[in-house]
Amino acid sequence: MEKNNVLVVGGGGREHAIVYALHKSPKVGKIYCLPGNAGIAQIAECHGDIKATDLDKIVAFVEQHSDIALTVVAPDDPLALGLVDRLEQAGHRAFGPRANAAIIEASKVFSKNLMHKYGIPTARYETFSDYEKAAAYLKTCPIPTVIKADGLALGKGVIIANTREEAEAGLKEIMLDHAFGAAGKEVVVEEFLTGFEVSVLAFTDGKTLLPMASSQDHKRALDGDKGLNTGGMGTFSPQDKYTPAMAKNAMEKIFLPTIRALEKEGRRFQGVLYFGLMVSDSGDIKVLEYNARFGDPETQVILPRLKTDLYDVFNACIDGTLDKIVLEWDERAAVCVVAASGGYPLKYEKGKKITFGKLDDDVIVFHAGTAVCPECGEIVTNGGRVLGVTALGSDLSQAKKKAYDNIARISFDGMFYRKDICKTH
Ligand code: AMP
Ligand code: GLY
């Protein structure tokens, strides 16, 4: 069988999960990764000096490597900056939305206005670019309320205010202290929703949309959903409260209307569209957020369950032939627990040696912030989220037990992880 070489852009746990799935494909030959990490380097050729946001260098890399058949752009920043557009203009195949569609994640004002215009259910909201007007609104709006910086903020630009004082302080942080830089020039203030959360990631070629297995992320740093928002501290799949009837409803009321709305706006979306949903006690489903890419660490529980060849799915999204693909899933459940550096998501140290212990053969350790120490050749920490331990099991409780048994055998100075991932099982 002909082998195709692939480049994956990014260097976190999500990219490790993508590389892991591509590596299983009989159609994929060599995999390159920019910048990659120590775990990815075990199955791909990494170039740690090329960052995912270095568009010029990435395009030059693809130009220099004529063997690359496909580039997969995984993180939000290069998508929003137009890496897919740049590669396409230079005549290369790339998986991921163009910048004009990636805006559905890159601007919350854009996505809220899109949902409003096309009647897609979401929390009631107001948008502000003027601090005084936003502050005046916060004096009268219902509490709790949710304040979101418009732009990309590593998943951290959302403040849930339980009192008016917290709302005022949060608004100041975003709009006056510029805690999230230019991302906070505009804000969305929205209704606080209750219920359970579910992440549904979907492949789409712009016409056909295929939802992946459902999952749920745990975004806060500490047990009991305490502490600051992070990029995600652990996930499980499936989210078993999300019933087939809810999935059907979401398809009709949210997923298909979203890709049709984007198409109507001249922003056809090809890639992975991520729906962050809240399901109320009465079963109403509303969109909390869109992402224009695979979630991290959702991908670490989803792709290990995908039986269909990921390389074929990527190509079908690009070629507009997704209607020919049927996604097949491993029936087993998956749980991923993330090990983070002490202090994350604020200040933390790097360069701590990681000891892996003897792990079960079928457990997958997805690396995120790891590197090989140039002096000692050992694997050391190199980021806030260091690695994610994914285990599969006959049900969520078996998967959870295995993930926790194994993460306990891994250690590094300052390591912490949440003890309550998937706690209902
Ligand atoms: P986002 O980045 O918009 O998904 O927000 C991050 C997290 O904040 C979500 O996963 C929810 O846990 C929470 N969140 C966001 N918007 C709302 C809302 N309107 N009501 C309640 N919780 C929310
Ligand atoms: N885990 C949430 C995200 O990737 O945005």
Side-chain angles (χ1 to χ4, degrees):
M1 186 181 293
E2 193 200 339
K3 298 266 189 194
N4 303 278
N5 295 352
V6 181
L7 165 65
V8 176
V9 175
R14 162 184 54 209
E15 287 75 17
H16 194 179
I18 293 169
V19 170
Y20 166 90
L22 288 172
H23 184 66
K24 286 198 300 198
S25 165
K27 296 178 183 161
V28 172
K30 181 170 180 174
I31 305 176
Y32 299 93
C33 192
L34 307 178
N37 61 37
I40 297 174
Q42 292 166 4
I43 46 176
E45 180 181 309
C46 296
H47 292 257
D49 53 328
I50 304 184
K51 289 209 207 90
T53 45
D54 218 331
L55 268 52
D56 290 338
K57 284 195 184 158
I58 297 167
V59 174
F61 187 90
V62 176
E63 297 270 283
Q64 285 154 15
H65 292 76
S66 56
D67 59 310
I68 294 175
L70 169 69
T71 298
V72 179
V73 184
D76 48 3
D77 287 321
L79 289 167
L81 290 169
L83 179 54
V84 170
D85 311 54
R86 290 272 307 268
L87 289 167
E88 283 181 352
Q89 281 152 17
H92 305 291
R93 275 173 87 74
F95 175 81
R98 296 178 190 143
N100 78 347
I103 192 174
I104 196 166
E105 168 173 11
S107 168
K108 291 194 192 281
V109 172
F110 172 87
S111 69
K112 293 296 288 191
N113 290 342
L114 184 86
M115 288 186 269
H116 181 67
K117 180 169 172 187
Y118 291 91
I120 297 166
T122 187
R124 281 194 295 273
Y125 72 105
E126 300 283 339
T127 65
F128 299 95
S129 51
D130 180 275
Y131 170 78
E132 297 299 335
K133 285 192 180 138
Y137 176 74
L138 288 180
K139 288 198 176 7
T140 57
C141 75
I143 292 291
T145 191
V146 183
I147 308 170
K148 300 182 174 184
D150 172 54
L152 297 176
L154 293 172
K156 296 166 198 160
V158 173
I159 291 169
I160 297 181
N162 290 308
T163 63
R164 257 180 233 291
E165 291 69 38
E166 274 175 36
E168 199 179 307
L171 182 72
K172 278 206 178 104
E173 205 186 325
I174 297 177
M175 290 194 97
L176 297 185
D177 305 341
H178 309 291
F180 308 106
K185 272 170 69 178
E186 276 190 84
V187 293
V188 172
V189 180
E190 71 177 30
E191 174 196 7
F192 177 74
L193 299 176
T194 54
F196 73 84
E197 283 185 50
V198 51
S199 305
V200 182
L201 286 60
F203 293 108
T204 177
D205 59 9
K207 300 184 308 252
T208 302
L209 180 138
L210 298 181
M212 300 181 220
S214 63
S215 61
Q216 197 203 310
D217 187 12
H218 297 66
K219 289 203 167 79
R220 300 290 199 95
L222 306 175
D223 287 2
D225 288 330
K226 302 260 164 38
L228 295 170
N229 253 327
T230 70
M233 293 298 292
T235 36
F236 62 90
S237 173
Q239 161 55 287
D240 51 355
K241 291 188 214 157
Y242 182 67
T243 62
M246 289 173 189
K248 182 166 177 287
N249 192 8
M251 187 71 160
E252 285 163 10
K253 303 274 171 39
I254 295 174
F255 305 160
L256 292 175
T258 300
I259 56 164
R260 287 186 192 132
L262 285 165
E263 173 89 37
K264 263 215 163 123
E265 298 287 315
R267 299 171 183 273
R268 173 180 279 208
F269 192 105
Q270 293 178 299
V272 170
L273 187 51
Y274 167 134
F275 302 87
L277 306 174
M278 182 76 89
V279 184
S280 76
D281 291 343
S282 57
D284 281 345
I285 309 177
K286 290 189 173 152
V287 177
L288 287 177
E289 67 162 340
Y290 291 114
N291 291 322
R293 51 171 174 83
F294 281 107
D296 187 344
E298 286 87 344
T299 311
Q300 291 90 309
V301 285
I302 293 171
L303 290 186
R305 299 187 57 214
L306 180 66
K307 294 206 277 190
T308 316
D309 189 319
L310 185 61
Y311 185 72
D312 286 341
V313 183
F314 283 162
N315 281 303
C317 288
I318 297 171
D319 294 333
T321 54
L322 203 59
D323 57 338
K324 307 279 184 305
I325 298 269
V326 176
L327 297 180
E328 287 188 79
W329 298 97
D330 189 325
E331 286 298 315
R332 290 176 298 166
V335 171
C336 174
V337 183
V338 170
S341 298
Y344 173 78
L346 300 174
K347 234 170 87 107
Y348 54 83
E349 290 178 15
K350 295 183 185 176
K352 309 288 182 197
K353 187 184 162 213
I354 306 171
T355 311
F356 287 92
K358 169 89 187 81
L359 305 182
D360 294 350
D361 289 341
D362 55 347
V363 155
I364 317 164
V365 179
F366 288 121
H367 288 225
T370 68
V372 177
C373 160
E375 288 85 35
C376 64
E378 312 235 37
I379 296 179
V380 294
T381 65
N382 191 37
R385 288 189 294 174
V386 175
L387 40 87
V389 175
T390 294
L392 291 154
S394 54
D395 58 20
L396 284 166
S397 98
Q398 295 292 322
K400 179 172 90 171
K401 182 174 181 319
K402 192 167 211 163
Y404 275 111
D405 280 354
N406 280 272
I407 200 170
R409 299 175 211 162
I410 298 176
S411 65
F412 55 85
D413 196 16
M415 165 171 154
F416 78 96
Y417 56 90
R418 278 184 62 163
K419 307 290 190 301
D420 63 347
I421 302 303
C422 193
K423 81 162 187 282
T424 45
H425 290 83

